[in-house]
Amino acid sequence: MIYIHVPFCRTFCTYCDFYSEIAGSGAEDFRRYGDELCGEILCRKDEIARTRGVHTLYIGGGTPSVLPLSCVEKIVGACREADGGGWEEFTFEMNPDDVSPEYVAGLKRLGVNRVSMGVQSMDDCLLRWMNRRHDAQGARRAYEVLRGGGMENVSLDLIFGIRGSDIRPSLEEMIGMGPEHISAYQLGIEEGSALGRMVREGRYREADEDFCRSQYEEICSVLSEAGYRHYEISNWAKPGFEARHNSAYWDRSPYVGVGPGAHSFSIGEKEVRSWNSESLSGWTENRGSEVLSSEEIREEKIMLGLRRAEGIEGKAIPEKDWFVADTIIADYLLNSQE
């Protein structure tokens, strides 16, 4: 199970504070990144082999679709050398404005069988406010190109909880497009984002909890009526199209994250979470890590288990810890963004 972080974007979204760098023309940056990333993949071949219980590849970011196909091909080749290829699910994140017939055909040749597209809204005013590079018509065209190129498993992202917005038109149009999967995330105020600055300067006020709750409940209701299964707190899928890679995160399966800022999780004598530094070069030289305590493992199992429709067995929480569990749940539901 491999996650690859692509740390490039052409522009930064208003709400985002994930590690990323402006791509610009990017040719030399892409070449160096690709070479160093492939080196990391092959150096961690044995570690990757230990995660084969879930055999998936996910290329995310950032914006992976800003990479030239030649760079993507090099990266996928290194993954095949390390992991054998033949992934049961191979997801590639795309922005609508990067979608073209040639690019989609190239991804299909490389074995991509699932695309996650960051649409976020079908309202042009909101898209401009988010500093997205596409408009609603661009999202419609991109979706048709994906379908025309043979992509049979498409996921669309939607953001809710924007003060003064109406979520219903965007949601209904996305459903009408017919994707296999929809992810809906509540807008978060991240300190390092442009939106965080807007809040500090008094140029934006966060939507209140009742407004966000009502939009979330509306999303749950409308998607359920449309035949989507609410299998995780922020994710809905048509039956059989639940994301295998992301579901493995919530099951606490081991995974290897490669690239700048990527996180990994391993289970051996101890459970260890590790991460690469946020740098365009030498990101493996100063890796951080932590060994999870038994208490951290227990709390994580509760939190991740409650993300999913299956929940957790009652015996996982002794009666004496119910108050602690309630606190974990309440804190998570108030602060979780994905």
mmCIF file of all heavy atoms in Angstrom, residues 89-136:
data_model
loop_
_atom_site.group_PDB
_atom_site.id
_atom_site.type_symbol
_atom_site.label_atom_id
_atom_site.label_comp_id
_atom_site.label_asym_id
_atom_site.label_seq_id
_atom_site.Cartn_x
_atom_site.Cartn_y
_atom_site.Cartn_z
ATOM 1 N N GLU A 89 -6.402 -1.256 -6.725
ATOM 2 C CA GLU A 89 -6.946 0.089 -6.906
ATOM 3 C C GLU A 89 -5.774 1.045 -7.084
ATOM 4 O O GLU A 89 -4.862 1.070 -6.266
ATOM 5 C CB GLU A 89 -7.787 0.493 -5.704
ATOM 6 C CG GLU A 89 -8.432 1.879 -5.825
ATOM 7 C CD GLU A 89 -9.184 2.252 -4.542
ATOM 8 O OE1 GLU A 89 -8.551 2.819 -3.629
ATOM 9 O OE2 GLU A 89 -10.389 1.930 -4.470
ATOM 10 N N PHE A 90 -5.800 1.826 -8.155
ATOM 11 C CA PHE A 90 -4.747 2.793 -8.440
ATOM 12 C C PHE A 90 -5.453 4.127 -8.673
ATOM 13 O O PHE A 90 -6.055 4.360 -9.716
ATOM 14 C CB PHE A 90 -3.960 2.346 -9.665
ATOM 15 C CG PHE A 90 -2.843 3.281 -10.091
ATOM 16 C CD1 PHE A 90 -2.019 2.934 -11.161
ATOM 17 C CD2 PHE A 90 -2.589 4.496 -9.464
ATOM 18 C CE1 PHE A 90 -0.990 3.764 -11.578
ATOM 19 C CE2 PHE A 90 -1.567 5.352 -9.875
ATOM 20 C CZ PHE A 90 -0.771 4.972 -10.946
ATOM 21 N N THR A 91 -5.378 5.002 -7.653
ATOM 22 C CA THR A 91 -6.068 6.289 -7.687
ATOM 23 C C THR A 91 -5.108 7.414 -8.052
ATOM 24 O O THR A 91 -3.979 7.457 -7.557
ATOM 25 C CB THR A 91 -6.706 6.592 -6.319
ATOM 26 O OG1 THR A 91 -7.621 5.552 -5.977
ATOM 27 C CG2 THR A 91 -7.452 7.923 -6.346
ATOM 28 N N PHE A 92 -5.592 8.322 -8.865
ATOM 29 C CA PHE A 92 -4.813 9.496 -9.269
ATOM 30 C C PHE A 92 -5.685 10.723 -9.075
ATOM 31 O O PHE A 92 -6.800 10.795 -9.592
ATOM 32 C CB PHE A 92 -4.397 9.368 -10.731
ATOM 33 C CG PHE A 92 -3.336 10.342 -11.171
ATOM 34 C CD1 PHE A 92 -1.987 10.033 -11.036
ATOM 35 C CD2 PHE A 92 -3.679 11.567 -11.738
ATOM 36 C CE1 PHE A 92 -1.002 10.926 -11.450
ATOM 37 C CE2 PHE A 92 -2.697 12.458 -12.151
ATOM 38 C CZ PHE A 92 -1.357 12.135 -12.001
ATOM 39 N N GLU A 93 -5.187 11.710 -8.298
ATOM 40 C CA GLU A 93 -5.934 12.947 -8.083
ATOM 41 C C GLU A 93 -5.718 13.905 -9.244
ATOM 42 O O GLU A 93 -4.589 14.076 -9.718
ATOM 43 C CB GLU A 93 -5.504 13.617 -6.782
ATOM 44 C CG GLU A 93 -5.931 12.866 -5.529
ATOM 45 C CD GLU A 93 -5.574 13.611 -4.254
ATOM 46 O OE1 GLU A 93 -4.907 14.668 -4.334
ATOM 47 O OE2 GLU A 93 -5.952 13.136 -3.168
ATOM 48 N N MET A 94 -6.798 14.571 -9.672
ATOM 49 C CA MET A 94 -6.707 15.515 -10.782
ATOM 50 C C MET A 94 -7.507 16.770 -10.470
ATOM 51 O O MET A 94 -8.520 16.719 -9.762
ATOM 52 C CB MET A 94 -7.248 14.895 -12.073
ATOM 53 C CG MET A 94 -6.537 13.651 -12.551
ATOM 54 S SD MET A 94 -7.017 13.187 -14.236
ATOM 55 C CE MET A 94 -6.055 14.374 -15.209
ATOM 56 N N ASN A 95 -7.064 17.890 -11.024
ATOM 57 C CA ASN A 95 -7.862 19.109 -11.063
ATOM 58 C C ASN A 95 -8.569 19.170 -12.412
ATOM 59 O O ASN A 95 -7.990 18.763 -13.439
ATOM 60 C CB ASN A 95 -6.983 20.340 -10.900
ATOM 61 C CG ASN A 95 -6.839 20.746 -9.442
ATOM 62 O OD1 ASN A 95 -7.257 20.033 -8.535
ATOM 63 N ND2 ASN A 95 -6.235 21.896 -9.220
ATOM 64 N N PRO A 96 -9.796 19.668 -12.471
ATOM 65 C CA PRO A 96 -10.533 19.681 -13.741
ATOM 66 C C PRO A 96 -9.783 20.351 -14.889
ATOM 67 O O PRO A 96 -9.860 19.889 -16.040
ATOM 68 C CB PRO A 96 -11.817 20.450 -13.393
ATOM 69 C CG PRO A 96 -12.023 20.163 -11.942
ATOM 70 C CD PRO A 96 -10.633 20.148 -11.349
ATOM 71 N N ASP A 97 -9.049 21.432 -14.595
ATOM 72 C CA ASP A 97 -8.397 22.159 -15.683
ATOM 73 C C ASP A 97 -7.190 21.431 -16.255
ATOM 74 O O ASP A 97 -6.645 21.850 -17.278
ATOM 75 C CB ASP A 97 -7.993 23.563 -15.224
ATOM 76 C CG ASP A 97 -7.244 23.542 -13.913
ATOM 77 O OD1 ASP A 97 -7.780 23.002 -12.930
ATOM 78 O OD2 ASP A 97 -6.117 24.051 -13.866
ATOM 79 N N ASP A 98 -6.761 20.341 -15.619
ATOM 80 C CA ASP A 98 -5.641 19.559 -16.151
ATOM 81 C C ASP A 98 -6.104 18.373 -16.989
ATOM 82 O O ASP A 98 -5.282 17.676 -17.589
ATOM 83 C CB ASP A 98 -4.770 19.020 -15.001
ATOM 84 C CG ASP A 98 -4.090 20.125 -14.214
ATOM 85 O OD1 ASP A 98 -3.679 21.120 -14.842
ATOM 86 O OD2 ASP A 98 -3.969 19.991 -12.986
ATOM 87 N N VAL A 99 -7.400 18.120 -17.005
ATOM 88 C CA VAL A 99 -7.920 16.929 -17.681
ATOM 89 C C VAL A 99 -7.965 17.161 -19.189
ATOM 90 O O VAL A 99 -8.544 18.129 -19.665
ATOM 91 C CB VAL A 99 -9.334 16.586 -17.162
ATOM 92 C CG1 VAL A 99 -9.929 15.414 -17.942
ATOM 93 C CG2 VAL A 99 -9.291 16.252 -15.669
ATOM 94 N N SER A 100 -7.324 16.275 -19.917
ATOM 95 C CA SER A 100 -7.363 16.301 -21.385
ATOM 96 C C SER A 100 -7.448 14.855 -21.872
ATOM 97 O O SER A 100 -7.055 13.924 -21.152
ATOM 98 C CB SER A 100 -6.099 16.960 -21.961
ATOM 99 O OG SER A 100 -4.959 16.132 -21.744
ATOM 100 N N PRO A 101 -7.945 14.625 -23.113
ATOM 101 C CA PRO A 101 -8.009 13.248 -23.626
ATOM 102 C C PRO A 101 -6.646 12.567 -23.634
ATOM 103 O O PRO A 101 -6.535 11.379 -23.309
ATOM 104 C CB PRO A 101 -8.548 13.441 -25.045
ATOM 105 C CG PRO A 101 -9.335 14.709 -24.988
ATOM 106 C CD PRO A 101 -8.580 15.596 -24.034
ATOM 107 N N GLU A 102 -5.600 13.324 -23.973
ATOM 108 C CA GLU A 102 -4.262 12.736 -24.044
ATOM 109 C C GLU A 102 -3.769 12.322 -22.656
ATOM 110 O O GLU A 102 -3.175 11.250 -22.489
ATOM 111 C CB GLU A 102 -3.279 13.727 -24.668
ATOM 112 C CG GLU A 102 -3.590 14.122 -26.109
ATOM 113 C CD GLU A 102 -4.746 15.107 -26.240
ATOM 114 O OE1 GLU A 102 -5.081 15.780 -25.238
ATOM 115 O OE2 GLU A 102 -5.328 15.177 -27.344
ATOM 116 N N TYR A 103 -4.023 13.170 -21.661
ATOM 117 C CA TYR A 103 -3.557 12.869 -20.305
ATOM 118 C C TYR A 103 -4.313 11.669 -19.743
ATOM 119 O O TYR A 103 -3.720 10.772 -19.130
ATOM 120 C CB TYR A 103 -3.746 14.092 -19.401
ATOM 121 C CG TYR A 103 -2.796 14.127 -18.217
ATOM 122 C CD1 TYR A 103 -1.623 14.862 -18.257
ATOM 123 C CD2 TYR A 103 -3.083 13.411 -17.055
ATOM 124 C CE1 TYR A 103 -0.754 14.904 -17.178
ATOM 125 C CE2 TYR A 103 -2.227 13.440 -15.969
ATOM 126 C CZ TYR A 103 -1.054 14.187 -16.034
ATOM 127 O OH TYR A 103 -0.202 14.204 -14.961
ATOM 128 N N VAL A 104 -5.617 11.638 -19.959
ATOM 129 C CA VAL A 104 -6.415 10.521 -19.457
ATOM 130 C C VAL A 104 -5.984 9.217 -20.120
ATOM 131 O O VAL A 104 -5.855 8.179 -19.459
ATOM 132 C CB VAL A 104 -7.917 10.788 -19.677
ATOM 133 C CG1 VAL A 104 -8.754 9.565 -19.308
ATOM 134 C CG2 VAL A 104 -8.362 11.993 -18.858
ATOM 135 N N ALA A 105 -5.735 9.259 -21.426
ATOM 136 C CA ALA A 105 -5.271 8.052 -22.124
ATOM 137 C C ALA A 105 -3.943 7.576 -21.557
ATOM 138 O O ALA A 105 -3.710 6.368 -21.397
ATOM 139 C CB ALA A 105 -5.152 8.329 -23.620
ATOM 140 N N GLY A 106 -3.055 8.532 -21.230
ATOM 141 C CA GLY A 106 -1.770 8.175 -20.644
ATOM 142 C C GLY A 106 -1.934 7.517 -19.289
ATOM 143 O O GLY A 106 -1.251 6.530 -18.970
ATOM 144 N N LEU A 107 -2.837 8.044 -18.462
ATOM 145 C CA LEU A 107 -3.086 7.436 -17.149
ATOM 146 C C LEU A 107 -3.656 6.034 -17.288
ATOM 147 O O LEU A 107 -3.279 5.117 -16.544
ATOM 148 C CB LEU A 107 -4.046 8.308 -16.342
ATOM 149 C CG LEU A 107 -3.539 9.700 -15.930
ATOM 150 C CD1 LEU A 107 -4.614 10.434 -15.134
ATOM 151 C CD2 LEU A 107 -2.252 9.613 -15.116
ATOM 152 N N LYS A 108 -4.554 5.852 -18.247
ATOM 153 C CA LYS A 108 -5.118 4.519 -18.474
ATOM 154 C C LYS A 108 -4.018 3.522 -18.860
ATOM 155 O O LYS A 108 -4.012 2.382 -18.379
ATOM 156 C CB LYS A 108 -6.183 4.577 -19.569
ATOM 157 C CG LYS A 108 -7.470 5.241 -19.165
ATOM 158 C CD LYS A 108 -8.317 4.327 -18.288
ATOM 159 C CE LYS A 108 -8.923 3.183 -19.086
ATOM 160 N NZ LYS A 108 -9.816 2.348 -18.249
ATOM 161 N N ARG A 109 -3.105 3.952 -19.705
ATOM 162 C CA ARG A 109 -1.998 3.058 -20.112
ATOM 163 C C ARG A 109 -1.158 2.654 -18.905
ATOM 164 O O ARG A 109 -0.604 1.552 -18.860
ATOM 165 C CB ARG A 109 -1.116 3.736 -21.162
ATOM 166 C CG ARG A 109 -1.724 3.819 -22.539
ATOM 167 C CD ARG A 109 -0.681 4.172 -23.587
ATOM 168 N NE ARG A 109 -0.028 5.452 -23.319
ATOM 169 C CZ ARG A 109 -0.482 6.617 -23.752
ATOM 170 N NH1 ARG A 109 -1.606 6.682 -24.452
ATOM 171 N NH2 ARG A 109 0.173 7.731 -23.484
ATOM 172 N N LEU A 110 -1.032 3.557 -17.931
ATOM 173 C CA LEU A 110 -0.210 3.283 -16.755
ATOM 174 C C LEU A 110 -0.947 2.440 -15.715
ATOM 175 O O LEU A 110 -0.355 2.044 -14.713
ATOM 176 C CB LEU A 110 0.240 4.599 -16.121
ATOM 177 C CG LEU A 110 1.230 5.421 -16.944
ATOM 178 C CD1 LEU A 110 1.487 6.762 -16.281
ATOM 179 C CD2 LEU A 110 2.541 4.655 -17.121
ATOM 180 N N GLY A 111 -2.238 2.191 -15.938
ATOM 181 C CA GLY A 111 -2.984 1.334 -15.028
ATOM 182 C C GLY A 111 -3.878 2.051 -14.037
ATOM 183 O O GLY A 111 -4.459 1.405 -13.163
ATOM 184 N N VAL A 112 -3.999 3.377 -14.143
ATOM 185 C CA VAL A 112 -4.903 4.104 -13.245
ATOM 186 C C VAL A 112 -6.329 3.619 -13.480
ATOM 187 O O VAL A 112 -6.810 3.601 -14.620
ATOM 188 C CB VAL A 112 -4.814 5.626 -13.485
ATOM 189 C CG1 VAL A 112 -5.883 6.361 -12.677
ATOM 190 C CG2 VAL A 112 -3.431 6.143 -13.125
ATOM 191 N N ASN A 113 -7.012 3.192 -12.429
ATOM 192 C CA ASN A 113 -8.400 2.720 -12.568
ATOM 193 C C ASN A 113 -9.381 3.504 -11.701
ATOM 194 O O ASN A 113 -10.556 3.149 -11.607
ATOM 195 C CB ASN A 113 -8.508 1.220 -12.277
ATOM 196 C CG ASN A 113 -7.989 0.826 -10.903
ATOM 197 O OD1 ASN A 113 -7.880 1.671 -10.011
ATOM 198 N ND2 ASN A 113 -7.659 -0.447 -10.743
ATOM 199 N N ARG A 114 -8.874 4.575 -11.063
ATOM 200 C CA ARG A 114 -9.771 5.427 -10.261
ATOM 201 C C ARG A 114 -9.210 6.846 -10.279
ATOM 202 O O ARG A 114 -8.015 7.047 -10.041
ATOM 203 C CB ARG A 114 -9.857 4.909 -8.828
ATOM 204 C CG ARG A 114 -10.798 5.702 -7.917
ATOM 205 C CD ARG A 114 -10.921 5.031 -6.545
ATOM 206 N NE ARG A 114 -11.885 5.705 -5.693
ATOM 207 C CZ ARG A 114 -11.602 6.692 -4.860
ATOM 208 N NH1 ARG A 114 -10.332 7.123 -4.738
ATOM 209 N NH2 ARG A 114 -12.537 7.252 -4.130
ATOM 210 N N VAL A 115 -10.065 7.819 -10.545
ATOM 211 C CA VAL A 115 -9.661 9.228 -10.533
ATOM 212 C C VAL A 115 -10.475 9.961 -9.479
ATOM 213 O O VAL A 115 -11.699 9.812 -9.396
ATOM 214 C CB VAL A 115 -9.859 9.883 -11.913
ATOM 215 C CG1 VAL A 115 -9.779 11.410 -11.800
ATOM 216 C CG2 VAL A 115 -8.817 9.380 -12.900
ATOM 217 N N SER A 116 -9.781 10.731 -8.657
ATOM 218 C CA SER A 116 -10.430 11.604 -7.680
ATOM 219 C C SER A 116 -10.251 13.037 -8.160
ATOM 220 O O SER A 116 -9.116 13.517 -8.268
ATOM 221 C CB SER A 116 -9.800 11.410 -6.297
ATOM 222 O OG SER A 116 -10.384 12.293 -5.359
ATOM 223 N N MET A 117 -11.358 13.704 -8.481
ATOM 224 C CA MET A 117 -11.270 15.040 -9.074
ATOM 225 C C MET A 117 -11.789 16.086 -8.095
ATOM 226 O O MET A 117 -12.902 15.986 -7.563
ATOM 227 C CB MET A 117 -12.056 15.092 -10.380
ATOM 228 C CG MET A 117 -11.842 16.394 -11.146
ATOM 229 S SD MET A 117 -12.325 16.310 -12.894
ATOM 230 C CE MET A 117 -14.107 16.152 -12.765
ATOM 231 N N GLY A 118 -10.965 17.107 -7.864
ATOM 232 C CA GLY A 118 -11.295 18.168 -6.917
ATOM 233 C C GLY A 118 -12.189 19.219 -7.527
ATOM 234 O O GLY A 118 -11.707 20.279 -7.952
ATOM 235 N N VAL A 119 -13.482 18.958 -7.579
ATOM 236 C CA VAL A 119 -14.433 19.923 -8.137
ATOM 237 C C VAL A 119 -14.767 20.997 -7.098
ATOM 238 O O VAL A 119 -14.757 22.183 -7.371
ATOM 239 C CB VAL A 119 -15.712 19.198 -8.615
ATOM 240 C CG1 VAL A 119 -16.764 20.211 -9.059
ATOM 241 C CG2 VAL A 119 -15.373 18.258 -9.770
ATOM 242 N N GLN A 120 -15.126 20.574 -5.885
ATOM 243 C CA GLN A 120 -15.395 21.412 -4.703
ATOM 244 C C GLN A 120 -16.735 22.148 -4.747
ATOM 245 O O GLN A 120 -17.391 22.295 -3.730
ATOM 246 C CB GLN A 120 -14.261 22.415 -4.445
ATOM 247 C CG GLN A 120 -12.852 21.875 -4.548
ATOM 248 C CD GLN A 120 -12.574 20.649 -3.698
ATOM 249 O OE1 GLN A 120 -13.451 20.134 -3.029
ATOM 250 N NE2 GLN A 120 -11.354 20.159 -3.742
ATOM 251 N N SER A 121 -17.128 22.672 -5.908
ATOM 252 C CA SER A 121 -18.404 23.379 -6.032
ATOM 253 C C SER A 121 -18.754 23.495 -7.510
ATOM 254 O O SER A 121 -17.864 23.424 -8.367
ATOM 255 C CB SER A 121 -18.305 24.778 -5.406
ATOM 256 O OG SER A 121 -19.511 25.511 -5.602
ATOM 257 N N MET A 122 -20.040 23.662 -7.789
ATOM 258 C CA MET A 122 -20.473 23.967 -9.154
ATOM 259 C C MET A 122 -20.975 25.404 -9.243
ATOM 260 O O MET A 122 -21.671 25.769 -10.185
ATOM 261 C CB MET A 122 -21.562 22.982 -9.587
ATOM 262 C CG MET A 122 -21.108 21.532 -9.622
ATOM 263 S SD MET A 122 -19.722 21.212 -10.748
ATOM 264 C CE MET A 122 -20.514 21.427 -12.331
ATOM 265 N N ASP A 123 -20.592 26.215 -8.279
ATOM 266 C CA ASP A 123 -20.963 27.631 -8.217
ATOM 267 C C ASP A 123 -19.734 28.450 -8.581
ATOM 268 O O ASP A 123 -18.731 28.443 -7.861
ATOM 269 C CB ASP A 123 -21.442 27.956 -6.801
ATOM 270 C CG ASP A 123 -21.885 29.409 -6.632
ATOM 271 O OD1 ASP A 123 -21.258 30.305 -7.230
ATOM 272 O OD2 ASP A 123 -22.843 29.637 -5.870
ATOM 273 N N ASP A 124 -19.792 29.172 -9.701
ATOM 274 C CA ASP A 124 -18.620 29.909 -10.175
ATOM 275 C C ASP A 124 -18.154 30.969 -9.189
ATOM 276 O O ASP A 124 -16.948 31.215 -9.049
ATOM 277 C CB ASP A 124 -18.912 30.559 -11.535
ATOM 278 C CG ASP A 124 -18.892 29.554 -12.679
ATOM 279 O OD1 ASP A 124 -18.349 28.441 -12.481
ATOM 280 O OD2 ASP A 124 -19.425 29.868 -13.755
ATOM 281 N N CYS A 125 -19.077 31.602 -8.490
ATOM 282 C CA CYS A 125 -18.676 32.619 -7.510
ATOM 283 C C CYS A 125 -17.878 31.983 -6.377
ATOM 284 O O CYS A 125 -16.854 32.533 -5.941
ATOM 285 C CB CYS A 125 -19.905 33.332 -6.954
ATOM 286 S SG CYS A 125 -20.736 34.402 -8.143
ATOM 287 N N LEU A 126 -18.334 30.844 -5.895
ATOM 288 C CA LEU A 126 -17.606 30.158 -4.832
ATOM 289 C C LEU A 126 -16.260 29.643 -5.326
ATOM 290 O O LEU A 126 -15.267 29.685 -4.591
ATOM 291 C CB LEU A 126 -18.438 28.994 -4.288
ATOM 292 C CG LEU A 126 -19.637 29.357 -3.418
ATOM 293 C CD1 LEU A 126 -20.339 28.101 -2.929
ATOM 294 C CD2 LEU A 126 -19.217 30.229 -2.232
ATOM 295 N N LEU A 127 -16.213 29.154 -6.545
ATOM 296 C CA LEU A 127 -14.949 28.662 -7.092
ATOM 297 C C LEU A 127 -13.918 29.791 -7.183
ATOM 298 O O LEU A 127 -12.741 29.595 -6.879
ATOM 299 C CB LEU A 127 -15.171 28.020 -8.470
ATOM 300 C CG LEU A 127 -15.905 26.678 -8.447
ATOM 301 C CD1 LEU A 127 -16.297 26.266 -9.863
ATOM 302 C CD2 LEU A 127 -15.042 25.594 -7.804
ATOM 303 N N ARG A 128 -14.366 30.983 -7.580
ATOM 304 C CA ARG A 128 -13.441 32.124 -7.625
ATOM 305 C C ARG A 128 -12.993 32.478 -6.217
ATOM 306 O O ARG A 128 -11.809 32.786 -5.980
ATOM 307 C CB ARG A 128 -14.107 33.325 -8.306
ATOM 308 C CG ARG A 128 -14.226 33.177 -9.812
ATOM 309 C CD ARG A 128 -14.618 34.499 -10.468
ATOM 310 N NE ARG A 128 -15.962 34.917 -10.087
ATOM 311 C CZ ARG A 128 -17.076 34.567 -10.730
ATOM 312 N NH1 ARG A 128 -16.996 33.778 -11.801
ATOM 313 N NH2 ARG A 128 -18.259 35.003 -10.336
ATOM 314 N N TRP A 129 -13.913 32.454 -5.256
ATOM 315 C CA TRP A 129 -13.568 32.765 -3.865
ATOM 316 C C TRP A 129 -12.561 31.762 -3.312
ATOM 317 O O TRP A 129 -11.667 32.105 -2.537
ATOM 318 C CB TRP A 129 -14.846 32.762 -3.024
ATOM 319 C CG TRP A 129 -14.619 33.074 -1.582
ATOM 320 C CD1 TRP A 129 -14.488 34.314 -1.010
ATOM 321 C CD2 TRP A 129 -14.489 32.132 -0.511
ATOM 322 N NE1 TRP A 129 -14.278 34.195 0.343
ATOM 323 C CE2 TRP A 129 -14.280 32.870 0.683
ATOM 324 C CE3 TRP A 129 -14.531 30.745 -0.442
ATOM 325 C CZ2 TRP A 129 -14.114 32.263 1.923
ATOM 326 C CZ3 TRP A 129 -14.371 30.125 0.793
ATOM 327 C CH2 TRP A 129 -14.158 30.880 1.964
ATOM 328 N N MET A 130 -12.669 30.510 -3.724
ATOM 329 C CA MET A 130 -11.725 29.476 -3.290
ATOM 330 C C MET A 130 -10.379 29.561 -4.012
ATOM 331 O O MET A 130 -9.446 28.860 -3.668
ATOM 332 C CB MET A 130 -12.310 28.077 -3.560
ATOM 333 C CG MET A 130 -13.535 27.714 -2.768
ATOM 334 S SD MET A 130 -14.049 26.023 -3.241
ATOM 335 C CE MET A 130 -15.708 25.980 -2.585
ATOM 336 N N ASN A 131 -10.316 30.408 -5.034
ATOM 337 C CA ASN A 131 -9.130 30.530 -5.891
ATOM 338 C C ASN A 131 -8.858 29.235 -6.657
ATOM 339 O O ASN A 131 -7.702 28.872 -6.904
ATOM 340 C CB ASN A 131 -7.882 30.926 -5.088
ATOM 341 C CG ASN A 131 -6.796 31.515 -5.970
ATOM 342 O OD1 ASN A 131 -7.085 32.200 -6.953
ATOM 343 N ND2 ASN A 131 -5.538 31.265 -5.640
ATOM 344 N N ARG A 132 -9.937 28.575 -7.067
ATOM 345 C CA ARG A 132 -9.805 27.408 -7.930
ATOM 346 C C ARG A 132 -9.531 27.874 -9.353
ATOM 347 O O ARG A 132 -9.923 28.971 -9.747
ATOM 348 C CB ARG A 132 -11.082 26.573 -7.890
ATOM 349 C CG ARG A 132 -11.441 26.055 -6.508
ATOM 350 C CD ARG A 132 -10.431 25.051 -6.012
ATOM 351 N NE ARG A 132 -10.481 23.818 -6.787
ATOM 352 C CZ ARG A 132 -9.629 22.803 -6.640
ATOM 353 N NH1 ARG A 132 -8.642 22.897 -5.765
ATOM 354 N NH2 ARG A 132 -9.744 21.717 -7.358
ATOM 355 N N ARG A 133 -8.849 27.029 -10.123
ATOM 356 C CA ARG A 133 -8.465 27.428 -11.481
ATOM 357 C C ARG A 133 -9.515 27.055 -12.526
ATOM 358 O O ARG A 133 -9.389 27.441 -13.688
ATOM 359 C CB ARG A 133 -7.117 26.788 -11.851
ATOM 360 C CG ARG A 133 -5.945 27.383 -11.085
ATOM 361 C CD ARG A 133 -4.615 26.787 -11.530
ATOM 362 N NE ARG A 133 -4.425 25.435 -11.035
ATOM 363 C CZ ARG A 133 -4.215 24.372 -11.793
ATOM 364 N NH1 ARG A 133 -4.194 24.481 -13.103
ATOM 365 N NH2 ARG A 133 -4.019 23.186 -11.256
ATOM 366 N N HIS A 134 -10.546 26.323 -12.140
ATOM 367 C CA HIS A 134 -11.584 25.922 -13.087
ATOM 368 C C HIS A 134 -12.889 26.614 -12.739
ATOM 369 O O HIS A 134 -13.043 27.160 -11.640
ATOM 370 C CB HIS A 134 -11.773 24.404 -13.058
ATOM 371 C CG HIS A 134 -12.332 23.903 -11.760
ATOM 372 N ND1 HIS A 134 -11.558 23.658 -10.641
ATOM 373 C CD2 HIS A 134 -13.619 23.617 -11.376
ATOM 374 C CE1 HIS A 134 -12.319 23.231 -9.653
ATOM 375 N NE2 HIS A 134 -13.576 23.211 -10.055
ATOM 376 N N ASP A 135 -13.816 26.595 -13.669
ATOM 377 C CA ASP A 135 -15.182 27.024 -13.391
ATOM 378 C C ASP A 135 -16.096 25.805 -13.522
ATOM 379 O O ASP A 135 -15.639 24.696 -13.812
ATOM 380 C CB ASP A 135 -15.621 28.172 -14.301
ATOM 381 C CG ASP A 135 -15.521 27.838 -15.790
ATOM 382 O OD1 ASP A 135 -15.385 26.640 -16.136
ATOM 383 O OD2 ASP A 135 -15.593 28.770 -16.608
ATOM 384 N N ALA A 136 -17.384 26.015 -13.313
ATOM 385 C CA ALA A 136 -18.319 24.892 -13.333
ATOM 386 C C ALA A 136 -18.353 24.210 -14.694
ATOM 387 O O ALA A 136 -18.373 22.973 -14.789
ATOM 388 C CB ALA A 136 -19.715 25.373 -12.940
#
